[in-house]
Amino acid sequence: MSKFFSLSLAAVVLAGGLTLYWRWPAAEPEVQPAAAVAMPSQQSSIGQASAPAAKVPAEAQPAIAATLPSLAGTEVDGQLQTDSAGNLVLDLAVRDYFDYFLSAVDRSGLDAVIEALLADAGRRLPEPALGQLIGLLGDYLDYKRASMALMQQPLDARQQVEPKAQLQALQSAFARLDELRRAHFSAAAQEALFGAEQAYARYTLDNLALQQRDDLGEAQRTQLLEQLRERLPDALRESEQRQQLALQQLQHSEQLWRDGADEQQVREFLAMTYDPDTVQRLLDEQRRERDWQQHYQAYRSELSSLQGRGLSEADGEQLQRQLRERLFSSEDRHRVETYDAIAAQQPEPLKP
């Protein structure tokens, strides 16, 4: 796990690589589960509910743009489907649909967002699917509020610096989030909306625990890691393998920079895997990151000279804040504050 984690439990979990979505109300891309679950109405039979889903065509969106200006020019994310009996097909696309609208809460307010969502859903779904969607939306909003409150709990000092304590915090967060989901959703809804996410989160936690074990040789660790991968659903396992390969390649390219390679050498290495546009994008990203790290180190050096003047704590904090504002844009200051918070817990200067 990276040592540069934020001081909230949610940020620590994200830094650890989990795909747990407790940000309110932003949406994230996710892996589509292989199967969808139909929500039967009280009148429908099990056989009817499991019938093949029929896609509902998307509608034009002038009404959405008028009510939620921040969504103007975008396409509705997700998909609402019904089965042959008119029941809502419950899958990850429904959650994407909710999150698309909820991403506008900050600018338009929750009431306006809900009004626009229900108006749009009303054009897409017949009954009983529309009523089922409305009921699910209420559960989803309650869950979002509860999960946000849970994940805003701060870390204690030990959790901020000790890997084992960090892992315990992640495991505890995952368990409590799982409890929240079981409390707010049926088993079918929980699996459809969060099943893929929970499978990958569990894999990530087990992977972190495996990396912390000091009783394993490299061959044993590799074997156990492969066993963890085999437990993942097929789509997730393939995605994880692609991510691991991409990570290894990027780490190799970064090592080339550290060893003194020039840009053409790094470009040639990346070109063995990526197309020219992707190679250029990766090179640009790596260049920006190196520039940022150098900028941060220059800031730390200047900060160290300020702190050596014997200032009071209040004066020191004020000068540090002024230095951040002078040297960094508003977009970068949160990252600087995070690095600084971790540096305060380190026995030696932080080296990002």
Side-chain angles (χ1 to χ4, degrees):
M1 180 188 302
S2 171
K3 63 181 178 179
F4 306 114
F5 49 89
S6 162
L7 301 184
S8 72
L9 187 55
V12 170
V13 173
L14 290 172
L18 297 181
T19 54
L20 305 182
Y21 301 91
W22 29 68
R23 292 188 299 165
W24 166 264
E28 297 284 345
E30 299 177 76
V31 179
Q32 177 70 29
V37 181
M39 291 185 63
S41 66
Q42 294 180 351
Q43 293 81 18
S44 64
S45 69
I46 295 177
Q48 289 173 315
S50 60
K55 294 184 180 180
V56 178
E59 301 286 341
Q61 302 176 63
I64 296 176
T67 308
L68 308 175
S70 63
L71 299 182
T74 65
E75 294 184 4
V76 173
D77 195 12
Q79 191 176 64
L80 302 181
Q81 301 181 86
T82 58
D83 66 9
S84 60
N87 296 301
L88 178 67
V89 174
L90 185 55
D91 58 14
L92 197 53
V94 176
R95 185 176 165 194
D96 291 340
Y97 181 81
F98 287 159
D99 285 340
Y100 168 81
F101 284 91
L102 293 175
S103 67
V105 165
D106 286 344
R107 295 189 180 183
S108 300
L110 184 59
D111 289 345
V113 164
I114 299 305
E115 181 179 354
L117 186 158
L118 294 180
D120 182 76
R123 293 191 292 269
R124 296 170 183 267
L125 291 176
E127 291 292 356
L130 180 59
Q132 294 163 355
L133 181 80
I134 294 171
L136 182 64
L137 175 61
D139 292 338
Y140 191 67
L141 292 174
D142 288 344
Y143 161 75
K144 278 283 195 177
R145 295 186 183 97
S147 62
M148 182 179 69
L150 173 63
M151 292 305 137
Q152 285 178 340
Q153 297 178 18
L155 296 172
D156 61 34
R158 191 169 68 92
Q159 290 169 339
Q160 294 178 22
V161 296
E162 296 183 12
K164 289 186 177 179
Q166 293 167 13
L167 177 57
Q168 290 171 355
L170 293 173
Q171 291 169 333
S172 176
F174 176 77
R176 286 179 289 170
L177 198 64
D178 184 57
E179 290 176 1
L180 272 183
R181 289 168 176 169
R182 285 189 280 107
H184 285 83
F185 301 101
S186 68
Q190 182 185 4
E191 177 60 29
L193 299 183
F194 303 102
E197 177 182 312
Q198 292 185 178
Y200 193 77
R202 190 173 293 107
Y203 162 80
T204 304
L205 287 173
D206 291 343
N207 190 3
L208 291 172
L210 182 61
Q211 299 307 320
Q212 290 188 10
R213 290 181 58 178
D214 54 12
D215 62 332
L216 298 174
E218 193 59 34
Q220 290 174 300
R221 198 183 309 276
T222 300
Q223 181 181 10
L224 290 174
L225 178 58
E226 187 58 34
Q227 290 175 3
L228 291 180
R229 286 199 184 105
E230 288 300 319
R231 298 174 192 169
L232 287 170
D234 290 343
L236 281 176
R237 183 168 60 253
E238 293 170 4
S239 176
E240 196 275 339
Q241 290 171 340
R242 290 193 298 269
Q243 291 173 20
Q244 286 297 316
L245 178 60
L247 179 61
Q248 291 170 5
Q249 291 168 328
L250 290 178
Q251 288 173 338
H252 190 166
S253 67
E254 290 168 359
Q255 185 62 49
L256 288 175
W257 288 115
R258 289 192 292 270
D259 292 342
D262 59 30
E263 183 168 306
Q264 183 58 33
Q265 291 172 306
V266 178
R267 183 185 298 276
E268 290 173 357
F269 168 74
L270 293 173
M272 292 189 295
T273 304
Y274 301 105
D275 62 78
D277 289 342
T278 302
V279 168
Q280 188 59 52
R281 177 176 59 80
L282 292 173
L283 287 171
D284 291 343
E285 290 174 355
Q286 292 179 345
R287 188 183 304 111
R288 285 194 298 270
E289 180 62 18
R290 293 198 309 277
D291 291 345
W292 196 96
Q293 299 291 354
Q294 292 172 1
H295 193 187
Y296 180 78
Q297 287 302 326
Y299 153 80
R300 292 295 301 181
S301 297
E302 188 169 347
L303 178 62
S304 179
S305 66
L306 289 176
Q307 293 172 336
R309 297 179 183 178
L311 300 171
S312 67
E313 182 177 352
D315 289 342
E317 290 177 355
Q318 181 179 3
L319 285 176
Q320 184 174 9
R321 184 168 56 253
Q322 292 172 348
L323 186 62
R324 287 173 183 158
E325 293 174 353
R326 177 164 62 85
L327 296 180
F328 295 95
S329 66
S330 58
E331 292 81 7
D332 284 341
R333 286 174 203 154
H334 177 71
R335 186 180 181 187
V336 176
E337 291 168 1
T338 300
Y339 276 39
D340 286 349
I342 302 304
Q345 304 291 331
Q346 304 297 319
E348 64 273 335
L350 180 67
K351 294 180 181 181

